Structure formats: C-alpha cells, structure tokens
C-alpha cells in the first residue's frame, strides 16, 4: 500500500502544479507541531525564493487547489506553512485498506532479495553467558524484520568451533588422560562413540585450560593441537566431534528458551574446506602479500582517520584465524546463497575486525561491489547499578541463570496476582519473562550500553514488554466478549482518541521500513509503546462494549481488533508473544 505521506505529497505536488508552481515543492512531512496539525508542507517557503513573492501567497494559492475531501483541515499560516489534518473519511478508508490487505499492505521492500543474518556467535564448549544475550535477540529481530519486509532470510549462528579453545581443551585433556586412544598417533581403528567427558566436565575443562594460557609450554601445546586439528589429525578430530556432540544440544536448548531459531547451525569449522583454494587464489592474484612470515591483505584507505591494520589471512605458523574463517564463510555464502546483504551482529568491540574483513572481501571480489555488508555492533549490558554485570563471586553470569532469575521474578508475580490457574502458570510466566527480557534489551538503541534492571523490565506498567502484552491481552478479552469480529469494517473515528489511534496504526509500514534501513529494532519498540498508549487511552475514554449503537460499536471493535493485530505482528518481529491472560 502507498504510504500516507506519499499519497498526500502527491496530492500536494499536483496542487502546486495546478497553482502554477513547481510540483517538487509539494513534499509533505509529519508535523513537528502535533498540537496544531498532523502533517505539514513547507514548500511554499522554498518556492518563494524562486518565484520572488511572499510565501503565504503561494501557500494560499496551493491550498485552494487541494481536494477538501481529503482533509479536515488544510490551512496556509504565516509565514507560509501549509498545515494539514486528514479527514475522517480519508483515514477510515486508509485503515480499511490496511485491514483488508495482506500484512496490512506493508511495502515488501526486500522482495527478490536475500539477507544472511549472522548472529548468536556462541562458542562451542563454553556455556553461553550474559554477553550472548544481545547478539541473539537483536539478530533474531533483525532477521524476522527482514523476513516480514519480503527478504529471503537465512539466520546462521556461526559457531566458534575451530579456534584456540579447541586446542586448549585437547591439550588439557591430554595432560589429564594421556593414555586415551585419541592421543596415540599410530592408532588406526575406530574411536569410541562414548565421549571421554560429560557436559559438566567440559564446562570445567575449558576454563581450567584457558587459565593456563599464560604458561608458555602449555600455550604452545594448545597452539600445536589447534593447528593439527585444523590439519585433520584423526584423533583430535574425534575429540572435536565429542565436544560438538555434547555442546550443541545444550546451546540449542538455551537458544530455544529464548525463541531464537537459526536456519543454519554452521560454524567456523564449516568454512575450513573453503580456505585452501581461497588463500591460494588471493596469493596468486597478489591480493594477499607476505608480511613477517604471515600472509595479509592490506586494507588501509587514504581517507582513514585511524590506522586500519592489514587483515591477517594466514598466521606465520600457517594456521587460520578469525578473519580467515570469516572470509572463507563469505565464499561459502556467496556460492550457496548469493545474498544481497549480510548482517553481522556482535559486540561493537569487534568493529575493527569487521571493517577489515569487509574491505578485504570487497577488494578481493569475494563479495560483489553491491553486496551490502553491515556490522551491527551492540553495546554492553551492565548491571542495574550501571557497573559490569558480575556474579556475587565476581564471575561471569551464565545466560541461563539470567533467564532463570527473570523467570522466577515473573513467576512470583503471576502466582501472587492469581493471574492464571495453576496448570497455566509456567506457560504464562515464560511468555511474560521473555517479553520483559527482550523488550528491555530491544527498546535500547543497539549501539548503546544499557543497565539490566529486572524489576523495571518486568513491570506491568511503563515502557516495558509486559505492558505491551497487557494491552494485547486486554483487547483480546474485549474481542472475546464481543464475539466474531474479524469481518467488521472500519468505522469513522468517533472521537479524538479513536483518531489518534488510527493515525498511530497508519505508521506501521513507515516504522518497519525505517527500522530495517537503519537496523534499529528500538524504533519498533517505541512505535508499539505509542500504539499501546493510544489503545489504552481510547479504551479508557470510550464505552466500547456498552455502546448501544451497534454500527458504532462494530467500528470500535474493528479498530481495536486491527490495533491488536498490528501489536501482535510487531511483537512477533521482536521475538515474543502474548499469553491468553495476564
Ligand atoms: N564467536 C564469536 C565471538 O564469540 C562471534 C562470531 C560472530 N560472527 C562472525 N561471523 N564473526 O566473538
């Protein structure tokens, strides 16, 4: 569907032309004085310079050419603004159009395009910690948003499963159990199906090994083990399989609780087969050059304000690093999916890494000149006191613990307020807790740091996820009392609250589009907060079910039903859903 701004801009352009002026001056914007009008056009002020006359004279002439049926108000005011309010009829028809169109008539700006969203970024063998919350939920939302706007989307978790942490675990295991068959270089038989360690043990082995990195002899062992694993040493590969087999189900389980769903569970290791040919090609074409024993791709540009060091392709010891697997992953993605856009959601401290690999990928032709590459670098989540989030003993808080804390807090409320019957407590709690967590995060601009405040995020009032759910649940209960409502046509706005609500609904398409273009889920949160406010104001100021005029009542119901559907669509994009009761 055409956006309202485009429709009325077009009409304004025609009015400028009809009045004898250039149509280009007819651009309409949303009013920055909502107390005076809904939309405005400032074109007469600019036109005055060209036509050498008073702006108000032009504004008056244009206004007289506008179709009065579209506006309840269109006035020229000094010194030459044109202030507009939409007519009830126009708004009602527009909403009826949204109500009956597929996906509310939102423009499918991504039709025919493919977007890969690389998010989550879990590291195998390490439990997810709170640092993994943001990339998971921001990425999931950006993916759903792109999908809603027509893109073919592929979400890839891009596991950290090929780096030094694997070598560290292997080296540590060898120190503990050197007799294991995996370490016998002459062994040619099959390796045991059963893993030599459990998840719990693995979660202890990794940090112990990691702490020993400062011991040069141990570090050397770990590096060698990493290199040999990457070279395909059988026994190490078998240990790697065990680590994956144990770690992945746990990762899937926790992402599942967050309703974060990856289409692809690929990792750095899956890029490995693409590395040799890629490296050879980059060397052959002189894109990669030798520097202190390593192979690097220089990516500095003249306009750089800060130094951008070369992108390291192969280290001097011959091993692949983060940049290598990331570039090889691009090769794989281009080959298999030919995406038009690749988004990477990670901590913003990885900015330089992405700047380097993006430049290297363009320079080398691994991606096309037109392929959009974006790093969505997010800020840090701090504790409620604004300080880095730590457990009481100073450790890193596990993501699962954070989810559990939020769930326990919400459950207590659900039970205390007797919201649902005993059998429904867990499901309702899970939905509210997820909304609290995700909205608390997504309502912040991704790049900004924010403070995790359990009580504030879980409040049923204020700018929170639960408040949005509460609004949806309230409307659902009115609709249930009314009966079948989906077929009811939109009515004319019956009061100012209805009109405000209708205007808010019309902003769905523009909001989603801007959120997508600027990669800002927070705009969707701000939008539904405003929309929920309009719904609640309308509810408080209007007798809905008590209205005696059946036609009027039907219009009210149709309006709140549409508002509910829009809210539900938006929270689906944000990655959560509403319970039946609250
Ligand atoms: N595993 C990485 C980390 O923990 C994040 C991966 C992000 N994605 C990527 N393609 N580099 O930092």
């Amino acid at each position: 569907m055409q956006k309202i701004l485009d429709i009325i801009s077009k009409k304004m352009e025609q009015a400028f032309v009809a009045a004898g002026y250039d149509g280009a001056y007819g651009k309409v914007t949303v009013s920055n004085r909502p107390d005076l009008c809904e939309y405005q056009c400032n074109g007469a002020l600019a036109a005055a310079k060209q036509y050498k006359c008073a702006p108000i004279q032009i504004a008056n002439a244009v206004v007289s050419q506008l179709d009065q049926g579209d506006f309840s108000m269109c006035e020229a005011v000094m010194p030459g603004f044109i202030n507009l309010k939409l007519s009830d009829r126009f708004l009602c028809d527009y909403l009826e159009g949204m109500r009956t169109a597929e996906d509310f008539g939102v423009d499918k700006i991504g039709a025919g395009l493919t977007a890969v969203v690389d998010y989550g970024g879990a590291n195998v063998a390490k439990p997810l910690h709170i640092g993994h919350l943001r990339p998971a939920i921001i990425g999931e939302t950006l993916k759903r948003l792109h999908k809603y706007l027509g893109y073919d989307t592929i979400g890839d978790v891009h596991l950290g499963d090929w780096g030094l942490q694997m070598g560290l675990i292997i080296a540590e295991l060898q120190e503990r159990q050197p007799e294991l068959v995996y370490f016998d270089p002459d062994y040619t038989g099959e390796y045991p199906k059963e893993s030599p360690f459990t998840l719990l043990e693995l979660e202890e082995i990794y940090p112990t090994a990691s702490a020993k990195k400062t011991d040069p002899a141990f570090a050397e062992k770990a590096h060698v083990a990493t290199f040999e694993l990457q070279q395909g040493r059988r026994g190490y590969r078998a240990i790697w399989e065990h680590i994956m087999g144990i770690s992945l189900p746990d990762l899937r389980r926790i992402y599942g609780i967050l309703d974060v769903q990856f289409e692809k569970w690929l990792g750095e290791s899956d890029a490995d087969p693409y590395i040799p040919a890629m490296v050879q090609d980059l060397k052959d074409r002189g894109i990669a050059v030798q520097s202190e024993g390593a192979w690097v791709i220089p990516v500095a540009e003249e306009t750089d304000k800060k130094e951008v060091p070369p992108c390291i392709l192969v280290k001097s010891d011959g091993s692949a690093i983060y940049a290598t697997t990331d570039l090889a992953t691009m090769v794989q993605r281009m080959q298999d999916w030919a995406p038009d856009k690749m988004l990477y959601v990670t901590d913003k401290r990885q900015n330089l890494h992405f700047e380097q690999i993006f430049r290297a990928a363009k320079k080398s032709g691994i991606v096309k000149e037109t392929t959009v590459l974006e790093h969505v670098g997010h800020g840090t989540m701090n504790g409620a006191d604004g300080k880095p989030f730590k457990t009481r003993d100073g450790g890193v808080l596990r993501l699962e613990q954070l989810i559990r804390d939020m769930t326990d807090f919400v459950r207590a409320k659900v039970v205390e307020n007797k919201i649902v019957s005993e059998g429904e407590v867990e499901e309702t709690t899970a939905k509210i807790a997820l909304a609290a967590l995700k909205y608390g995060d997504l309502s912040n601009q991704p790049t900004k740091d924010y403070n995790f405040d359990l009580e504030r995020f879980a409040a049923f009032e204020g700018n929170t996820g639960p408040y949005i759910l509460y609004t949806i649940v309230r409307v659902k209960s009115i609709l249930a009392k009314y009966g079948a409502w989906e077929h009811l046509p939109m009515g004319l706005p019956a009061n100012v609250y209805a009109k405000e609500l209708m205007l808010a609904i019309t902003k769905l398409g523009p909001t989603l589009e801007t959120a997508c273009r600027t990669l800002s889920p927070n705009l969707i949160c701000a939008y539904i907060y405003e929309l929920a406010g309009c719904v609640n104001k309308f509810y408080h100021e209007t007798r809905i079910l008590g209205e005696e005029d059946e036609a009027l009542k039907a219009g009210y119901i149709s309006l709140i039903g549409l508002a509910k559907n829009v809210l539900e669509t938006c929270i689906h994009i944000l990655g959560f859903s509403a319970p039946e009761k609250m």
Side-chain angles (χ1 to χ4, degrees):
M1 251 169 95
Q2 252 194 313
K3 293 184 201 67
I4 289 193
L5 267 181
D6 294 340
I7 299 175
I8 52 182
S9 285
K10 181 108 232 148
K11 290 179 188 270
M12 191 60 80
E13 277 163 31
Q14 285 162 353
F16 266 83
V17 172
Y21 303 102
D22 188 342
Y25 291 112
K27 207 173 149 28
V28 175
T29 56
V30 174
S31 162
N32 51 19
R33 286 289 304 273
D35 52 324
L36 296 179
C37 57
E38 293 154 1
Y39 297 92
Q40 67 188 58
C41 171
N42 303 344
L45 298 166
K49 296 196 188 83
Q50 182 185 338
Y51 295 101
K52 301 199 170 47
C53 60
I56 190 72
Q57 191 187 326
I58 299 176
N60 274 321
V62 170
V63 162
S64 67
Q65 296 293 335
L66 280 170
D67 178 355
Q68 302 294 325
D70 294 330
F71 305 102
S72 65
M73 180 191 101
C74 59
E75 330 180 303
V77 296
M78 286 300 275
F81 299 113
I82 301 173
N83 290 350
L84 303 168
K85 283 186 182 174
L86 296 176
S87 72
D88 290 355
R89 185 78 259 161
F90 180 98
L91 204 49
C92 170
D93 290 347
Y94 191 83
L95 254 74
E96 181 63 6
M98 282 182 77
R99 190 185 76 80
T100 48
E102 191 175 333
D103 291 337
F104 313 104
V106 167
D107 260 359
K108 300 290 176 183
I109 56 171
L113 300 173
T114 298
V116 170
V117 186
D118 177 317
Y119 66 111
N123 295 314
V124 169
K126 303 187 208 174
L128 290 171
H129 59 77
I130 50 153
H132 292 107
L133 182 71
R134 299 207 73 191
I137 67 190
I138 294 170
E140 179 74 16
T141 293
L142 290 176
K143 186 184 75 185
R144 293 184 187 206
L145 176 59
H146 278 77
K147 185 169 177 139
Y148 193 78
L149 294 180
Y151 286 87
D152 277 327
T153 51
I154 300 166
D156 181 1
V157 63
H158 199 73
L159 295 169
D161 62 357
W162 208 229
L164 184 61
Q165 85 259 32
M166 294 296 164
L168 284 165
I169 294 169
I170 294 170
E172 176 66 16
L173 194 66
Q174 182 166 28
E175 293 209 336
R176 293 183 187 195
Q177 293 174 270
E179 72 287 357
L180 288 178
V181 60
Y182 306 95
F183 301 113
D184 177 356
D186 301 324
Y187 184 74
T188 52
E190 282 213 11
Y191 291 103
K193 294 255 173 310
E194 189 82 7
S195 164
F197 39 75
T198 63
L199 178 63
L200 231 79
E201 284 161 350
L202 189 59
E203 287 179 352
E204 180 269 323
I205 293 175
Y206 174 71
T208 309
S210 185
K212 282 159 70 176
K213 266 191 283 193
T214 46
D215 168 0
F218 184 79
E220 176 59 20
K221 262 196 198 169
H223 278 291
V224 172
T226 309
F227 180 72
E228 291 187 346
L229 168 71
Q230 294 178 355
Q231 295 300 306
R233 183 167 159 166
R234 279 182 73 240
Y236 290 3
R237 190 75 201 192
I239 297 176
W240 181 87
E241 297 282 353
H242 288 309
I243 299 175
M244 295 295 277
I246 283 186
S247 203
L248 279 187
D250 197 53
L251 293 175
R252 285 183 195 271
R253 181 178 64 80
I254 296 171
Y255 281 127
I257 302 174
L258 289 174
D259 199 2
V260 166
Q261 314 284 354
F262 300 100
E263 283 69 28
K264 300 286 172 190
W265 281 80
L266 296 174
E268 294 169 359
S269 64
D270 292 289
D272 192 61
Y274 297 86
I275 292 177
M278 174 186 80
V279 169
Q280 193 56 51
D281 171 57
L282 294 177
K283 286 180 185 173
D284 290 349
R285 289 193 290 131
I287 305 235
V289 295
Q290 242 173 338
S291 163
E292 297 167 33
W295 286 90
V296 305
I297 305 178
V299 290
E301 285 170 11
E302 261 177 34
T303 48
D304 289 340
K305 299 224 166 53
K306 267 192 280 177
E307 195 202 334
V308 182
C311 181
I312 300 178
L313 190 63
V314 186
K315 280 207 306 186
S316 51
D317 67 3
S319 56
I321 58 165
Y322 196 37
T324 326
T325 48
D326 258 335
L327 286 171
T329 300
M330 289 188 187
V331 173
Q332 173 265 318
R333 288 176 181 164
M334 292 309 286
Q335 195 171 302
D336 295 347
W337 311 321
D340 303 281
K341 192 172 186 177
M342 276 191 248
L343 301 179
Y344 293 81
V345 188
T346 78
D347 193 299
K348 67 182 170 199
R349 281 169 289 196
Q350 293 196 22
N351 261 339
L352 180 61
H353 165 74
F354 285 103
E355 185 62 47
Q356 290 173 305
I357 63 162
F358 290 173
R359 288 184 184 188
K362 291 254 156 125
K363 183 173 172 183
S364 60
I366 289 176
V367 303
K368 289 196 259 177
E369 199 44 57
T370 51
T371 311
V372 178
L373 300 173
E374 296 254 23
H375 177 221
V376 184
H378 62 75
T380 309
M381 181 178 91
N382 290 317
D385 55 2
K387 302 210 179 97
F389 219 119
K390 287 273 171 326
T391 55
R392 246 171 266 145
D393 56 9
V396 191
L397 191 66
R398 284 198 180 200
L399 182 52
E400 191 171 11
Q401 186 60 49
L402 183 88
I403 301 172
R404 201 175 302 138
D405 290 348
M406 178 59 91
T407 309
D408 290 346
F409 184 80
V410 170
R411 185 187 301 103
K413 270 199 203 197
V414 170
V415 171
E416 190 192 356
N417 299 348
K418 299 198 175 58
I419 290 173
V420 288
S421 68
E422 230 170 277
E424 296 162 322
V425 167
E426 281 317 308
E427 202 193 325
T428 304
T429 298
K431 288 194 164 156
I432 300 174
L434 195 61
L437 261 182
K438 288 194 167 181
Y439 190 96
D441 186 302
L442 295 169
S443 54
N444 297 283
Q445 220 173 293
T447 48
K448 294 246 169 80
D449 297 348
Y450 75 89
N451 300 345
F452 180 84
D453 188 335
L454 199 132
E455 282 175 43
R456 188 164 64 77
F457 288 5
F460 285 18
E461 277 146 49
N463 189 5
T464 71
Y467 165 73
I468 305 292
L469 298 190
Y470 190 76
T471 307
I472 294 172
V473 168
R474 166 179 272 168
V475 175
K476 280 210 246 183
S477 102
I478 302 172
L479 295 172
K481 284 190 194 126
Y482 182 86
W485 61 273
E486 282 87 350
H487 61 289
L488 295 175
M490 197 54 52
L492 291 168
N495 54 35
V496 293
Y497 308 105
K499 189 166 188 202
E500 265 171 32
L501 175 53
M502 291 169 97
L503 278 171
I505 293 174
T506 65
K507 292 185 199 151
L508 172 69
T511 302
L512 295 182
E513 215 176 295
T514 312
C516 183
R517 289 192 201 286
T518 60
L519 305 173
S520 311
N522 53 302
L523 298 181
I524 306 175
C525 293
Y527 170 66
I528 57 175
Y529 182 54
E530 183 199 327
L531 182 56
C534 289
V535 169
N536 287 315
K537 218 185 263 152
F538 176 66
Y539 167 84
H540 283 297
E541 304 290 342
T542 317
R543 284 180 47 162
I544 299 176
L545 289 171
E547 174 57 53
E548 276 154 21
D549 181 329
E550 283 301 327
L552 253 185
K553 179 153 76 173
Y556 292 166
I557 293 289
S558 176
L559 176 58
I560 59 170
L562 179 61
K564 182 213 67 141
N565 285 347
V566 168
L567 285 172
E568 280 193 316
T569 296
C570 289
I571 65 169
H572 174 74
I573 293 171
L574 297 174
F576 54 92
S577 60
E580 283 313 308
K581 277 195 227 155
M582 240 177 108

